[in-house]
PDB file of all heavy atoms in Angstrom:
ATOM      1  N   ASN A 239       6.099 139.855  47.753  1.00 95.00           N
ATOM      2  CA  ASN A 239       5.395 140.591  46.676  1.00 95.00           C
ATOM      3  C   ASN A 239       4.424 139.700  45.881  1.00 95.00           C
ATOM      4  O   ASN A 239       3.663 140.105  45.040  1.00 95.00           O
ATOM      5  CB  ASN A 239       6.390 141.153  45.691  1.00 95.00           C
ATOM      6  CG  ASN A 239       7.049 142.388  46.284  1.00 95.00           C
ATOM      7  OD1 ASN A 239       6.515 142.959  47.219  1.00 95.00           O
ATOM      8  ND2 ASN A 239       8.298 142.572  45.807  1.00 95.00           N
ATOM      9  N   ILE A 240       4.608 138.384  46.112  1.00 98.00           N
ATOM     10  CA  ILE A 240       3.779 137.490  45.250  1.00 98.00           C
ATOM     11  C   ILE A 240       2.392 137.181  45.956  1.00 98.00           C
ATOM     12  O   ILE A 240       2.270 136.988  47.151  1.00 98.00           O
ATOM     13  CB  ILE A 240       4.396 136.164  44.862  1.00 98.00           C
ATOM     14  CG1 ILE A 240       4.694 135.377  46.082  1.00 98.00           C
ATOM     15  CG2 ILE A 240       5.659 136.393  44.071  1.00 98.00           C
ATOM     16  CD1 ILE A 240       5.039 133.886  45.757  1.00 98.00           C
ATOM     17  N   LYS A 241       1.369 137.011  45.059  1.00 98.00           N
ATOM     18  CA  LYS A 241       0.070 136.681  45.566  1.00 98.00           C
ATOM     19  C   LYS A 241      -0.347 135.404  44.949  1.00 98.00           C
ATOM     20  O   LYS A 241      -0.236 135.174  43.764  1.00 98.00           O
ATOM     21  CB  LYS A 241      -0.933 137.825  45.091  1.00 98.00           C
ATOM     22  CG  LYS A 241      -0.734 139.140  45.588  1.00 98.00           C
ATOM     23  CD  LYS A 241      -1.378 139.216  47.100  1.00 98.00           C
ATOM     24  CE  LYS A 241      -1.298 140.554  47.595  1.00 98.00           C
ATOM     25  NZ  LYS A 241       0.036 141.202  47.672  1.00 98.00           N
ATOM     26  N   VAL A 242      -0.715 134.474  45.819  1.00 98.00           N
ATOM     27  CA  VAL A 242      -1.010 133.165  45.265  1.00 98.00           C
ATOM     28  C   VAL A 242      -2.495 132.812  45.785  1.00 98.00           C
ATOM     29  O   VAL A 242      -2.785 132.914  46.939  1.00 98.00           O
ATOM     30  CB  VAL A 242      -0.114 131.957  45.884  1.00 98.00           C
ATOM     31  CG1 VAL A 242      -0.518 130.620  45.299  1.00 98.00           C
ATOM     32  CG2 VAL A 242       1.318 132.329  45.406  1.00 98.00           C
ATOM     33  N   ILE A 243      -3.341 132.572  44.794  1.00 98.00           N
ATOM     34  CA  ILE A 243      -4.791 132.552  45.135  1.00 98.00           C
ATOM     35  C   ILE A 243      -5.334 131.133  44.709  1.00 98.00           C
ATOM     36  O   ILE A 243      -5.068 130.665  43.571  1.00 98.00           O
ATOM     37  CB  ILE A 243      -5.440 133.650  44.346  1.00 98.00           C
ATOM     38  CG1 ILE A 243      -4.892 134.973  44.400  1.00 98.00           C
ATOM     39  CG2 ILE A 243      -7.024 133.586  44.622  1.00 98.00           C
ATOM     40  CD1 ILE A 243      -5.072 135.625  45.844  1.00 98.00           C
ATOM     41  N   HIS A 244      -5.912 130.469  45.666  1.00 98.00           N
ATOM     42  CA  HIS A 244      -6.803 129.304  45.334  1.00 98.00           C
ATOM     43  C   HIS A 244      -8.237 129.824  45.129  1.00 98.00           C
ATOM     44  O   HIS A 244      -8.933 130.126  46.114  1.00 98.00           O
ATOM     45  CB  HIS A 244      -6.746 128.343  46.465  1.00 98.00           C
ATOM     46  CG  HIS A 244      -7.744 127.233  46.557  1.00 98.00           C
ATOM     47  ND1 HIS A 244      -7.844 126.305  47.559  1.00 98.00           N
ATOM     48  CD2 HIS A 244      -8.615 126.915  45.643  1.00 98.00           C
ATOM     49  CE1 HIS A 244      -8.763 125.523  47.200  1.00 98.00           C
ATOM     50  NE2 HIS A 244      -9.318 125.839  46.109  1.00 98.00           N
ATOM     51  N   ALA A 245      -8.642 129.918  43.941  1.00 98.00           N
ATOM     52  CA  ALA A 245      -9.906 130.600  43.619  1.00 98.00           C
ATOM     53  C   ALA A 245     -11.069 129.622  43.524  1.00 98.00           C
ATOM     54  O   ALA A 245     -10.913 128.460  43.763  1.00 98.00           O
ATOM     55  CB  ALA A 245      -9.861 131.318  42.362  1.00 98.00           C
ATOM     56  N   GLU A 246     -12.350 130.058  43.287  1.00 98.00           N
ATOM     57  CA  GLU A 246     -13.521 129.297  43.465  1.00 98.00           C
ATOM     58  C   GLU A 246     -13.742 128.162  42.397  1.00 98.00           C
ATOM     59  O   GLU A 246     -14.284 127.180  42.643  1.00 98.00           O
ATOM     60  CB  GLU A 246     -14.777 130.280  43.419  1.00 98.00           C
ATOM     61  CG  GLU A 246     -14.945 130.991  42.220  1.00 98.00           C
ATOM     62  CD  GLU A 246     -14.087 132.341  42.119  1.00 98.00           C
ATOM     63  OE1 GLU A 246     -13.253 132.461  42.981  1.00 98.00           O
ATOM     64  OE2 GLU A 246     -14.463 133.146  41.225  1.00 98.00           O
TER      65      GLU A 246
END
Side-chain angles (χ1 to χ4, degrees):
Chain A
N239 289 335
I240 66 165
K241 295 277 189 300
V242 180
I243 310 289
H244 165 182
E246 62 276 12

